[in-house]
């Protein structure tokens, strides 16, 4: 065999190895870069994330714990909390069920138009929450498609619980499906096929083989779905009608108190929602840490 | 259980994966589906298992049409290439799964299931590992679990997709013998897919060779190797030198090489010659070639030569027949036997 | 299996009416439910907007959807979302880099905090940012001292949209940065590339598709955002009024068609963005 050089390289001086200390590993940044990046990141996050969070609690407790607790114990606040919990209790299980159906159909089967279906499922994420509320007003409102018929039969959807639930459903629609579809696609169909070939029925295969593999992903999706369901403002604000003590959810109640210059009250209820967000983040982090310890993959 | 495949067609989109496949699998035999990747062998196995459904044709189990029967109803044991073990279940739970999911009326008692699991783990030599999780096992052990799990349901047929594909060479060899032993112990009709001709020839009772979605030849390993039915089989099974030439007057000619071609139609043809069918010839008989390299394997010498026209020829014969041939020197070679196939135009 | 019912060999296969596509069951049921729910909850109501806006007729639609006030609102919504996505593009990338590549105390906490905008109700974020950046707030007071007014100006809108968009950029980039094979960087180094060259020629090009996707997601979310913005925006018509707010105002005046017209314009923009995001992702897949 002759040497394989195709053409001559440009001659270079022989390398000099004169490093007094070990050079940085090729994928490690120099210390000053690290310091610069870290301080920029921390500074940015403090301004955008941490100070706002701290501000909520500081404002809520400006006059001590008494007035803050007072604002939360107000009957209108209590009714807002109840309504928020009720809305989440209806929408989250519904969207979880939808997410399970959609991910099973999409991830475990082949069919034409799959990518388009996934895009449609993701659609609510790209629609402004205000538009999400508007569409239900247009369908079920007094001027809407079914408006006259609903009025005739004495059914209230818009400016009542069903409208709030529908609007919340719309904005939280993709959460669970979006979490489960990539997870189930990644896991493939081998285990399901193995179970089927051993005689397991569809339901048994799902419950005993698929479900254990996706339970953390499902929980993760439900967690995010719940946070958004309880915190949704734009869509709910359009369909709720802002009837105090009746159709006000917690975020709407915050807005009303704030616009009435009742800052302590507004921030007290907001602090409650902050706690919800913090609990969500803690659980989410715990799920992620647990996942990386046990490992999704064998 | 005999399995009959009749005129099965299967396509993925516009790509035909199986094209008019016919195959008869005998009761209790160990059959290998051998072919290069993309030849359709795994698709055929999945059609037999009921994991894919053909566009046309029939699959019969013991004379019964199961073409469109659900996988769960076929009572097959399937061992997946990546094993597809249930990660969240122990080894024992994995093996018991097929029994656990039966309807109450058909389900053996807890004690019976435990006994059967223990028996199967013993069969695959994993006794005592029932409490482990798949992640705690080596590749070879996972493969055994997959095998035990497939056998637990007393399958009519055992189907294995590249069963040794993901294992290293030593484990492959020992598991190969293991599979043969287990097959002989259970007597269940077994079909396995492989792209490794050595594995197919060593392990199987019969070998079916697939190429481009069609079956090229079915036969005992020796028969397939010694009497290849097509140029593809000859090239794929065992090593062979390939020469392109022409048949005239009952002889095949390619440069300096001539071999008798009784019964082969005149015209363009290719000759496949096994290295061990080329021996050292006495001066004057056969043809001359230049030695490029000599590799010694104990008593056998593999001689890589090149003809004057540049065509490489590899021969393999006894070391003492080398007659002092050296690298760069000339040797005389003689062809004992060649497989001739007319070149199909088109 | 018993062999009692041996079919004659001539019997053709009993082809099921609907050909089986897969051995895994439940396709019909789950697909049916998926399509039904999707149609009822999402698609049918969305089409209502188009029908309502169509009721206006072409010239009235243009007048409502593209009035000067609406145009100004779009400019604010889209412009502020674009700037905020840009800010997040820079700081989001730095954040991801720090989270993935550096070890520092409090990393888990910081990582968890990134998702705060996903978990925190937008109205809460809105009042918090408005208070913080008002001339009496912790940060706003300092800025006011320097002569910069943030709250109740378009700058405030950018701040709110930066808050909302951050996790989209970070969470889209993070897995890609994590999967960046270190050996590729090492290979580049062994071929004689310096750190800056590795960054510019090996690392950043690999991140472009994810970066663009994250940018587009943050932008799309920012365009439609309402809750976190209205408290800090000032909401002056023609000046600091965002497009979603204009829809709400039209609705409060019972001008349903006009509201629908603006909604249709915004929906069209959403679809366009969705299309762009899908195109970016299809483009990114060409390597894998």
């Amino acid at each position: 065999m002759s040497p394989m050089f195709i053409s001559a390289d440009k001659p270079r001086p022989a390398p000099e190895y004169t490093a007094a200390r070990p050079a940085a590993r090729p994928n490690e940044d120099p210390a000053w870069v690290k310091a610069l990046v870290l301080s920029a990141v921390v500074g940015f996050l403090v301004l955008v994330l941490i100070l706002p969070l701290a501000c909520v609690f500081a404002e809520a407790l400006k006059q001590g714990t008494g007035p803050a607790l007072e604002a939360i114990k107000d009957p209108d606040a209590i009714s807002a909390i109840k309504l928020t919990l009720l809305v989440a209790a209806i929408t989250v299980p519904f969207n979880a069920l939808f997410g399970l159906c959609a991910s099973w159909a999409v991830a475990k089967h082949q069919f034409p138009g799959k990518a388009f279906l996934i895009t449609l499922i993701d659609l609510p994420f790209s629609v402004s929450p205000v538009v999400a509320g508007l569409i239900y007003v247009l369908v079920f409102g007094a001027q809407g498609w079914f408006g006259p018929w609903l009025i005739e039969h004495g059914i209230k959807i818009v400016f009542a619980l069903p409208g709030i639930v529908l609007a919340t459903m719309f904005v939280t629609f993709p959460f669970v499906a979006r979490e489960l579809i990539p997870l189930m696609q990644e896991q493939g169909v081998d285990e399901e096929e193995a179970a089927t070939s051993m005689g397991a029925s569809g339901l048994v295969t799902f419950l005993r083989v698929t479900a254990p593999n996706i339970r953390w992903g499902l929980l993760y999706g439900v967690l995010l779905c719940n946070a958004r369901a309880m915190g949704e403002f734009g869509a709910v604000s359009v369909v709720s009608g802002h009837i105090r003590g009746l159709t006000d959810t917690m975020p709407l109640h915050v807005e009303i108190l704030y616009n009435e210059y009742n800052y302590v009250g507004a921030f007290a209820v907001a602090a409650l929602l902050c706690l919800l967000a913090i609990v969500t983040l803690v659980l989410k982090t715990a799920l992620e840490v647990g996942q990386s310890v046990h490992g999704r993959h064998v | 259980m005999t399995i009959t495949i009749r005129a099965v067609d299967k396509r993925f989109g516009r790509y035909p994966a199986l094209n008019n496949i016919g195959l008869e699998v005998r009761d209790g035999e160990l059959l290998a589906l051998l072919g290069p990747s993309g030849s359709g062998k795994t698709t055929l196995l999945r059609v037999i298992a009921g994991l894919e459904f053909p566009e046309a044709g029939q699959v019969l189990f013991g004379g019964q049409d199961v073409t469109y029967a659900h996988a769960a109803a076929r009572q097959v044991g399937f061992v997946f290439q990546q094993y597809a073990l249930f990660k969240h279940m122990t080894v024992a739970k994995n093996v018991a799964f097929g029994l656990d999911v039966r309807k109450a009326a058909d389900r053996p008692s807890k004690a019976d299931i435990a006994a059967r699991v223990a028996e199967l783990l013993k069969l695959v030599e994993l006794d005592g590992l029932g409490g482990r999780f798949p992640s705690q096992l080596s590749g070879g052990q996972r493969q055994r679990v997959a095998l035990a799990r497939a056998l637990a349901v007393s399958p009519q047929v055992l189907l294995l997709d590249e069963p040794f594909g993901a294992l290293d060479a030593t484990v492959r060899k020992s598991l190969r013998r293991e599979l043969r032993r287990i097959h002989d112990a259970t007597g269940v009709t077994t079909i396995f897919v492989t792209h490794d001709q050595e594995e197919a020839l060593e392990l199987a009772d019969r070998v079916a060779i697939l190429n481009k979605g069609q079956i090229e030849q079915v036969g005992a390993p020796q028969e397939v190797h010694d009497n290849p039915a097509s140029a593809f089989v000859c090239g794929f099974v065992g090593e062979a030198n390939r020469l392109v030439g022409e048949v005239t007057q009952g002889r095949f000619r390619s440069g300096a090489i001539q071999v008798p071609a009784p019964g082969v139609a005149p015209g363009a043809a290719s000759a496949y010659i096994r290295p061990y069918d080329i021996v050292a010839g006495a001066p004057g008989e056969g043809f001359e070639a230049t030695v490029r390299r000599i590799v010694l394997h104990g008593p056998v010498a593999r001689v890589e030569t090149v003809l004057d026209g540049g065509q490489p020829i590899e021969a393999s014969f006894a070391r003492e027949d080398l007659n002092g041939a050296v690298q760069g020197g000339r040797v005389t070679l003689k062809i004992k036997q060649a497989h001739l196939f007319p070149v199909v135009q088109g | 299996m018993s062999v009692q019912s041996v079919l004659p060999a001539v019997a053709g296969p009993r082809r099921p009416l609907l050909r089986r596509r897969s051995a895994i069951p439940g396709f019909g049921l789950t697909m049916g439910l998926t399509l039904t729910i999707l149609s009822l909850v999402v698609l049918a109501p969305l089409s209502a907007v188009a029908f309502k806006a169509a009721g206006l007729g072409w010239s009235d639609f243009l007048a409502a959807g593209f009035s000067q006030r609406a145009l100004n609102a779009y400019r604010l919504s889209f412009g502020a979302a674009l700037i905020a996505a840009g800010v997040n593009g820079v700081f989001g990338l730095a954040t991801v880099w720090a989270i993935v590549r550096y070890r520092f105390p409090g990393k888990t906490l910081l990582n968890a905090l990134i998702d705060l905008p996903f978990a925190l109700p937008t109205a809460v974020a809105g009042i918090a940012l408005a208070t913080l950046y008002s001339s009496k707030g912790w940060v706003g007071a300092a800025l006011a001292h320097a002569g910069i007014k943030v709250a109740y100006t378009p700058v405030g809108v950018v701040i709110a949209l930066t808050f909302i968009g951050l996790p989209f950029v970070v969470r889209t980039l993070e897995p890609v940065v994590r999967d960046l094979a270190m050996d590729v960087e090492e290979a580049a180094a062994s071929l004689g590339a310096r750190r800056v060259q590795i960054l510019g020629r090996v690392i950043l090009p690999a991140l472009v598709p994810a970066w663009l996707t994250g940018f587009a997601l943050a932008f799309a979310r920012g365009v439609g955002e309402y809750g976190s913005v209205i408290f800090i925006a000032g909401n002056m018509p023609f000046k600091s009024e965002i497009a979603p707010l204009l829809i709400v105002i039209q609705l409060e005046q019972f001008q349903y068609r006009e509201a629908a017209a603006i909604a249709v314009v915004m929906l069209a923009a959403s679809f366009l963005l969705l299309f762009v995001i899908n195109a970016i992702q299809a483009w990114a897949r060409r390597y894998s």
Side-chain angles (χ1 to χ4, degrees), chain A:
Chain A
M1 282 283 156
S2 59
M4 295 236 324
F5 292 115
I6 295 160
S7 60
D9 193 3
K10 193 175 173 187
R12 286 191 295 177
E16 285 175 52
Y17 308 104
T18 53
R21 57 203 167 91
R25 291 195 300 124
N27 40 36
E28 205 167 327
D29 291 334
W32 67 271
V33 174
K34 269 189 198 175
L36 194 71
V37 171
L38 265 182
S39 42
V41 165
V42 170
F44 175 70
L45 295 184
V46 164
L47 278 180
V48 176
L49 296 182
I50 296 172
L51 283 180
L53 192 60
C55 170
V56 172
F57 290 101
E59 290 288 328
L61 299 175
K62 219 171 190 173
Q63 296 161 23
T65 47
L69 286 176
E70 217 39 56
I72 291 170
K73 280 192 261 174
D74 179 84
D76 287 346
I78 296 281
S79 105
I81 293 172
K82 280 187 183 161
L83 180 61
T84 296
L85 292 176
L86 177 63
V87 170
I90 299 170
T91 36
V92 175
F94 178 86
N95 278 342
L97 187 74
F98 168 78
L100 283 171
C101 277
S103 53
W104 184 265
V106 169
K108 301 287 182 192
H109 299 88
Q110 296 302 322
F111 55 91
K114 190 192 265 200
F116 183 64
L117 180 63
I118 295 178
T119 305
L120 285 183
I121 291 172
D122 273 350
L123 194 57
F125 272 162
S126 345
V127 173
S128 171
V130 169
V131 176
L134 171 72
I135 59 178
Y136 289 105
V137 173
L138 294 184
V139 174
F140 298 114
Q143 310 281 315
W145 282 353
F146 300 117
W149 186 88
L150 290 169
I151 291 170
E152 206 173 291
H153 290 79
I155 305 169
K156 246 182 119 58
I157 290 186
V158 168
F159 307 139
L161 178 67
I164 298 173
V165 167
L166 278 171
T168 308
M169 236 175 229
F170 183 96
V171 292
T172 60
F173 193 69
F175 274 100
V176 177
R178 191 163 235 244
E179 200 56 48
L180 290 183
I181 288 173
L183 181 62
M184 276 161 85
Q185 272 173 337
E186 185 192 340
Q187 284 171 346
V189 293
D190 275 8
E191 290 185 34
E192 283 77 16
E193 285 186 347
T196 305
S197 77
M198 280 183 273
S201 70
L203 192 64
V204 167
T205 303
F206 175 75
L207 289 177
R208 297 187 58 166
V209 175
T210 313
N213 281 336
I214 60 163
R215 58 188 162 182
W216 300 117
L218 177 64
L219 206 57
Y220 197 94
V222 162
L223 204 60
L224 292 179
C225 181
N226 180 62
R228 182 74 195 264
M230 289 192 173
E232 179 49 33
F233 177 75
V236 171
S237 146
V238 171
V239 292
S240 119
H242 302 271
I243 308 165
R244 218 172 164 153
L246 258 179
T247 63
D248 261 350
T249 60
M250 285 169 82
L252 296 181
H253 193 60
V254 169
E255 185 201 17
I256 289 177
L257 294 175
Y258 186 83
N259 287 343
E260 288 171 346
Y261 305 104
N262 180 353
Y263 291 135
V264 168
F267 279 100
V269 180
L272 213 55
L273 287 166
C274 277
L275 288 178
L276 164 76
I278 291 169
V279 168
T280 303
L281 292 183
V282 168
L283 287 176
K284 182 174 170 295
T285 307
L287 269 179
E288 280 162 357
V289 171
Q291 289 257 307
S292 61
V293 170
H294 297 296
R296 277 185 195 179
H297 317 282
V298 176

Side-chain angles (χ1 to χ4, degrees), chain B residues 73-298:
Chain B
R74 293 195 191 194
Q75 298 183 24
V76 295
F78 199 100
V79 175
F80 290 77
Q81 197 172 356
Q82 304 293 335
Y83 319 134
L85 296 180
F86 306 131
K87 299 185 262 301
H88 59 285
M89 296 182 196
T90 60
V91 166
K93 278 278 163 203
N94 262 284
V95 175
F97 183 86
L99 303 170
D100 280 342
V101 298
R102 283 194 190 162
K103 289 201 190 79
D106 303 328
R107 196 189 312 136
S109 73
K110 273 215 168 108
D112 287 347
I113 292 179
R116 183 153 173 80
V117 168
E119 187 191 332
L120 282 160
L121 288 180
K122 195 154 188 275
L123 179 71
V124 297
E125 297 178 339
L126 286 178
D127 1 7
L129 297 187
R132 298 260 187 105
F133 282 93
S135 57
Q136 300 167 308
L137 302 180
S138 70
Q141 288 173 323
R142 284 182 210 170
Q143 217 277 342
R144 288 158 193 258
V145 175
L147 190 57
R149 186 178 70 175
L151 287 170
V153 290
S154 321
Q156 310 263 0
V157 195
L158 182 61
L159 306 170
L160 305 100
D161 184 10
E162 295 274 9
F164 313 115
L167 301 170
D168 61 58
T170 358
V171 185
R172 275 178 108 116
K173 279 235 158 86
S174 75
L175 271 176
R176 220 185 265 174
R177 283 186 208 120
E178 194 78 342
L179 178 61
R180 184 74 230 187
R181 179 180 66 78
I182 289 167
H183 173 262
D184 293 345
T186 57
V188 61
T189 311
T190 303
I191 305 173
F192 74 99
V193 157
T194 181
H195 63 268
D196 180 347
Q197 45 132 337
E198 190 189 320
E199 191 169 284
L201 299 186
E202 186 183 313
L203 189 55
D205 295 323
R206 287 197 309 151
V207 180
I209 293 153
L210 277 90
N211 181 33
K212 293 178 182 162
Q214 286 179 313
I215 290 188
E216 296 264 340
Q217 188 175 9
V218 186
Q222 209 53 45
E223 188 192 337
V224 169
H225 186 266
D226 294 349
N227 297 312
S230 67
F232 174 81
V233 173
C234 195
F236 192 72
V237 178
E239 293 179 11
N241 295 291
R242 181 167 178 266
L243 295 174
V244 181
E246 205 165 342
V247 173
T248 45
Q249 297 156 1
R251 286 187 82 73
F252 170 85
R253 287 168 227 271
S254 170
I257 293 178
Q258 285 194 23
V259 287
V264 181
S270 51
Y272 287 80
I273 307 152
R274 307 271 187 219
Y276 53 79
D277 283 335
I278 303 176
V279 293
E285 79 174 332
F287 57 96
E288 283 208 342
T290 307
V291 178
R292 259 198 190 154
R293 196 160 166 246
I294 298 173
V295 184
L296 298 175
H297 288 291

Side-chain angles (χ1 to χ4, degrees), chain C residues 95-130:
Chain C
T95 307
V96 173
W97 193 255
I99 289 176
V100 175
R101 289 294 177 95
Y102 300 164
R103 298 162 62 95
F104 55 90
K107 185 164 145 176
T108 314
L109 184 70
L110 191 120
N111 194 6
L113 261 179
I114 303 288
D115 288 324
L116 184 69
F118 280 161
L120 192 71
T122 52
V124 175
I127 63 167
L129 289 170

